[in-house]
Amino acid sequence: MTRPARGPNRRHFALALPSALLTAGCAAPRQGTGRPGDPIVLTLLSHYSSGVLKKALQDPVDEWNATHDRVKVRTKAVEFTDLLTTFMVRQAAGQGADIIQPYCLWTGQLVRAGVLRPAPPEHAEEIRRGYSAAAVGAASVGGRVYGYPTEAQTYALYYNARLLRAAGASEPPRTWPELETAADRTTRRDRYGNTLVQGFGLSVYDDSTTVGQTLALLNAAGGTFVSADGRGTAIDSPAGRSVFELEHRLVTGGASAPGVNVYQAFPSGQVAMVISAGWWTGSLRPLMGADYRDVGVVPVPVPRAGDRPATLSTGFLLGVNTASEHPREAWEFLRWLNAEKSGARRVTRMSALQVSVGSLTGRADDMRALLGRGGDPNLRPFLDALAYAVPEPNVPGAQRAKTLLRTNIEALWTGQQSVEEALRTTRRQVDQEVARPW
């Protein structure tokens, strides 16, 4: 829905969102006139602008509007690629929406710019109590919570069981040596040397693939991208070096072809394994049809047997604008949407919304209830990963830092930089970016 930044490639890209900068949600309530007794009308700005995503959000908004007379909600949406710019431009023009849904990577920047309002104590406590630590961390800056986590995307290893079996592998890899062996064995070429099947799908398609899969491996190796104090990068470390060396071997050995779009190649059986986020399951099922039975998901492989699992977590949040004239009412709506239990399974409306479009929230209790018998078993590894995932760093310069990391990863994959050069350049550029005043 995350090419943060273009953003996580997410579900929204697969749905081909329209290019109009701003579209109003259907069944929008009439704007208040300001007369006594006229309802308060809150605006909610998100990236859910098309297809199933737009309807999935509009349904609970319509429910709220039908059952609440004093406060109404009107949805507006932009494409994900325009979302951060729209937040900043509208804020500067004094036209910021009451409620906004940013990518969690931007939280630090939006807080520094005075766009996001801290959650009131009672809401912050509800969020800390109800969500996974990774989801809470992604929605927080400096220990303060700034919104209700909505989507929570963890990363895991997708694999094509048919391709693995054909290469003599009865089980998906659990360690990096097993990953490399399986990638080599499943790679196929024609007689001219053209790649027919990639063993492991490294891809320069967007930030969420290029950077997301690298950070998932980095976390699995016990490393981090940004230092604990948020003042520099920590990727130039033994863990970071091991990840870059692994990817370099996969590319130079021919098991990975970064120029291939894995979002097209994996569903067509041209990639045996790839690391991606849980949202992709909702796209793979309709794309692959009966062939989806060959798809399995396991945790991101770790460097050595016995290592503790870890992976990357990304997400979005719903927060209240500092410029809103009705913050109490806005938080009231957000609690109703994200914390109040409803329906036969007694889950939050946001959890039901996300599962309906093949995604997850950071509320593990809701996810277990919704992914019971009959659910897609491939979503369960992503749910399990909520317990050990590491949130994407959201310091003020995080988006630019991510873009710089992507550039250097691609330079490594294409042979323009060595492992040492890529690590050194990333450290220098990212340190400069996160250290500058915002």
Side-chain angles (χ1 to χ4, degrees):
M1 290 175 333
T2 118
R3 180 168 294 229
R6 276 186 41 203
N9 162 340
R10 305 165 43 79
R11 196 161 51 241
H12 5 299
F13 294 106
L15 292 172
L17 301 189
S19 59
L21 178 62
L22 204 59
T23 57
C26 60
R30 177 175 56 87
Q31 178 68 48
T33 64
R35 294 193 298 266
D38 206 35
I40 293 169
V41 179
L42 303 172
T43 54
L44 188 165
L45 177 60
S46 77
H47 56 289
Y48 290 179
S49 61
S50 179
V52 295
L53 289 171
K54 181 177 180 179
K55 183 179 187 304
L57 176 60
Q58 193 62 45
D59 284 348
V61 169
D62 288 345
E63 179 190 352
W64 168 274
N65 289 335
T67 55
H68 293 75
D69 294 329
R70 189 176 65 88
V71 178
K72 305 293 184 180
V73 177
R74 178 176 59 186
T75 60
K76 295 185 177 182
V78 297
E79 288 193 52
F80 178 81
T81 49
D82 296 323
L83 192 58
L84 179 58
T85 300
T86 303
F87 289 152
M88 304 301 284
V89 170
R90 287 175 64 97
Q91 194 78 3
Q95 299 175 351
D98 296 279
I99 299 169
I100 61 174
Q101 187 183 25
Y103 176 36
C104 287
L105 183 75
W106 306 330
T107 309
Q109 180 176 345
L110 292 172
V111 169
R112 184 71 63 89
V115 177
L116 274 173
R117 184 187 298 265
E122 65 275 19
H123 291 271
E125 178 57 30
E126 164 61 37
I127 292 165
R128 292 191 182 99
R129 184 174 61 246
Y131 292 83
S132 68
V136 175
S140 302
V141 174
R144 301 189 74 176
V145 178
Y146 283 87
Y148 281 89
T150 54
E151 298 175 49
Q153 299 294 337
T154 56
Y155 280 64
L157 180 76
Y158 288 83
Y159 66 93
N160 186 311
R162 177 181 57 80
L163 294 177
L164 290 183
R165 286 195 304 269
S170 59
E171 297 290 337
R174 308 287 175 169
T175 65
W176 288 7
E178 292 175 358
L179 175 68
E180 288 191 77
T181 298
D184 289 338
R185 289 180 177 176
T186 50
T187 298
R188 289 174 44 219
R189 299 179 182 82
D190 63 20
R191 60 178 179 167
Y192 302 106
N194 299 310
T195 300
L196 300 175
V197 176
Q198 281 189 79
F200 184 76
L202 295 174
S203 179
V204 298
Y205 183 68
D206 64 8
D207 282 359
S208 68
T209 45
T210 306
V211 176
Q213 58 197 352
T214 298
L215 293 187
L217 287 166
L218 178 65
N219 294 148
T224 57
F225 176 34
V226 175
S227 59
D229 62 9
R231 297 178 180 177
T233 181
I235 199 169
D236 189 3
S237 64
R241 185 169 291 102
S242 68
V243 173
F244 276 27
E245 288 173 347
L246 170 66
E247 294 181 345
H248 185 256
R249 289 194 301 271
L250 289 167
V251 173
T252 57
S256 297
V260 173
N261 179 352
V262 294
Y263 293 106
Q264 295 176 352
F266 184 85
S268 63
Q270 296 174 307
V271 173
M273 298 174 291
V274 63
I275 291 173
S276 192
W279 66 265
W280 201 20
T281 61
S283 297
L284 286 174
R285 285 194 302 271
L287 280 173
M288 297 183 70
D291 289 339
Y292 184 68
R293 65 178 178 268
D294 295 325
V295 176
V297 177
V298 293
V300 173
V302 292
R304 296 163 296 276
D307 286 351
R308 297 180 63 179
T311 189
L312 175 69
S313 171
T314 65
F316 288 75
L317 64 86
L318 277 168
V320 177
N321 196 325
T322 56
S324 175
E325 297 179 359
H326 307 286
R328 186 172 65 83
E329 290 80 6
W331 286 113
E332 177 186 351
F333 168 73
L334 290 183
R335 172 184 277 152
W336 176 88
L337 180 64
N338 295 279
E340 182 179 300
K341 304 282 186 170
S342 67
R345 297 191 181 183
R346 305 306 299 166
V347 298
T348 65
R349 292 171 176 85
M350 180 55 69
S351 290
L353 183 164
Q354 293 299 331
V355 170
S356 75
V357 294
S359 186
L360 302 172
T361 68
R363 300 190 75 106
D365 55 344
D366 281 1
M367 294 302 100
R368 292 189 185 95
L370 289 164
L371 299 177
R373 286 184 300 175
D376 185 347
N378 282 338
L379 282 175
R380 293 200 168 274
F382 298 102
L383 170 59
D384 294 342
L386 289 173
Y388 58 77
V390 179
E392 199 171 21
N394 60 9
V395 295
Q399 182 60 79
R400 176 62 179 158
K402 185 173 184 178
T403 301
L404 292 169
L405 175 58
R406 175 186 176 184
T407 299
N408 287 291
I409 292 171
E410 292 179 359
L412 171 69
W413 290 353
T414 55
Q416 299 174 57
Q417 290 184 0
S418 67
V419 168
E420 291 298 329
E421 289 170 335
L423 289 169
R424 186 169 59 250
T425 305
T426 300
R427 184 186 67 228
R428 176 176 53 80
Q429 292 178 342
V430 175
D431 282 356
Q432 180 178 358
E433 184 63 28
V434 300
R436 74 181 179 89
W438 283 79

